[in-house]
Amino acid sequence: MAPNCVRSTMLSNFSCNEIDVHKAVTLAERFTSDIYIAADGAACNAKSLLDFLGDFCPLMDSARVKGVGVLVTIGARGGDAEFAVNALIDLVSTWRR
């Protein structure tokens, strides 16, 4: 099923650390919508700390080491999808070193 709302942001010179990921998961859990975060072909459940740390962060760290930017896409499906996506895009956009 297609998401109700999708937004993307380009991240460069960023870091993906456990504190940032915990904040994102905690924020995502406030919403009832199903939420995913994707970058460079990898996607994970934004409400799962293990998905984030296991799938998303290694990809982000690899891109940082290479010195390239990453297009991060957040999508959600549900009654509060637009609010969820906007809140998470705002948070992820602050992930800078």
Side-chain angles (χ1 to χ4, degrees), residues 9-90:
T9 187
M10 180 62 82
L11 294 183
S12 57
N13 195 27
F14 56 88
S15 67
C16 184
N17 61 58
E18 290 179 24
I19 294 170
D20 290 337
V21 170
H22 186 267
K23 288 178 184 177
V25 169
T26 300
L27 179 60
E29 288 175 339
R30 294 180 186 170
F31 298 97
T32 59
S33 293
D34 294 325
I35 308 166
Y36 72 87
I37 184 165
D40 204 26
C44 72
N45 177 353
K47 295 181 181 182
S48 170
L49 186 61
L50 291 178
D51 278 3
F52 245 114
L53 293 174
D55 298 334
F56 189 76
C57 284
L59 174 102
M60 299 295 282
D61 290 340
S62 173
R64 180 178 47 82
V65 168
K66 293 176 187 173
V68 297
V70 175
L71 183 65
V72 175
T73 301
I74 298 174
R77 180 161 197 74
D80 56 0
E82 187 172 353
F83 296 109
V85 169
N86 289 335
L88 283 163
I89 283 286
D90 288 346

